[in-house]
Amino acid sequence: GSQFAEGYPTKWGINSFFGRVNYGFKDKYLFEANIRTDGSSRFAKGHKWGVFPSFSAAWRISEEGFMKNLGFVDNLKLRASWGQTGNERIDAFMYLPQYNTSNVVMKMANPDVTWETVEQTNIGLDFGFLNNTIYGELDWYSKDTKDILLALGIPHFIGLDAPEQNAGVVRNSGVEAMVGFRKTF
């Protein structure tokens, strides 16, 4: 019988830098800002780096003076966040043409391929009543994935496979709720 082997070695690398700032005032107002910068060898020069910020804020309403007279409220916190993350988990070197073992180009190059970006917004409310006997969370979220890599069709007479392009968009949104009851006897 005949034998056939296929494969190729690949080396790639990523560099990341991360920064965070937290601020809290009187345990009532909470803020956080993050920034992440990633560079990947999977992309061509000019597209290697992605910058992904995120921000969050919370207001502990239950710590306000006007709430102290409401003895049944133990925890009431309003929070909001927005942030981006990046995805570079693609085949290495998509920005270069792909050849077969006979040195014939099989797939077109796309030097403009870059990071997929996930952007998420969240608004939530945490609560606890009656010595936290009744507690829970209510959240609204929206998650957009942008610049998803897709192989879009090209005319067959070109004779090559289409390169991936940052062309896809997906949106997920919804509401999540959790309510609990806890009582010790």
Side-chain angles (χ1 to χ4, degrees):
S2 63
Q3 294 182 349
F4 178 76
E6 185 178 291
Y8 58 92
T10 303
K11 286 187 179 180
W12 60 273
I14 188 167
N15 282 330
S16 299
F17 300 95
F18 183 81
R20 172 180 290 159
V21 175
N22 284 305
Y23 177 74
F25 182 70
K26 294 187 175 182
D27 202 31
K28 294 181 194 177
Y29 314 105
L30 310 168
F31 303 94
E32 183 175 296
N34 297 288
I35 190 161
R36 182 181 175 114
T37 304
D38 294 312
S40 175
S41 65
R42 295 178 190 246
F43 303 117
K45 187 175 181 181
H47 299 282
K48 291 186 181 299
W49 289 94
V51 178
F52 308 105
S54 65
F55 306 94
S56 64
W59 176 27
R60 295 179 64 97
I61 303 168
S62 55
E63 295 300 312
E64 293 288 355
F66 63 86
M67 294 295 292
K68 295 299 181 186
N69 295 332
L70 299 176
F72 66 93
V73 177
D74 302 302
N75 179 35
L76 192 59
K77 180 168 72 171
L78 182 63
R79 51 189 164 69
S81 64
W82 174 89
Q84 292 183 332
T85 56
N87 177 27
E88 49 79 51
R89 289 179 181 89
I90 60 171
D91 290 341
F93 312 112
M94 288 178 132
Y95 61 90
L96 298 172
Q98 295 180 11
Y99 297 86
N100 68 9
T101 54
S102 302
N103 212 25
V104 174
V105 177
M106 299 300 295
K107 190 172 189 178
M108 297 174 66
N110 181 359
D112 296 323
V113 68
T114 190
W115 291 83
E116 293 180 355
T117 302
V118 177
E119 183 175 294
Q120 185 157 343
T121 303
N122 189 82
I123 298 173
L125 182 70
D126 299 339
F127 58 87
F129 304 119
L130 304 172
N131 292 324
N132 287 313
T133 301
I134 300 170
Y135 62 94
E137 298 177 3
L138 181 63
D139 283 282
W140 170 84
Y141 68 91
S142 178
K143 182 178 177 181
D144 296 330
T145 306
K146 304 173 182 179
D147 297 327
I148 298 173
L149 287 164
L150 298 174
L152 302 179
I154 58 175
H156 292 293
F157 64 81
I158 292 178
L160 299 173
D161 292 337
E164 278 77 5
Q165 301 177 43
N166 295 101
V169 177
V170 172
R171 168 170 280 176
N172 294 304
S173 61
V175 175
E176 294 179 349
M178 184 276 295
V179 177
F181 179 81
R182 152 180 46 215
K183 184 72 174 172
T184 54
F185 297 97

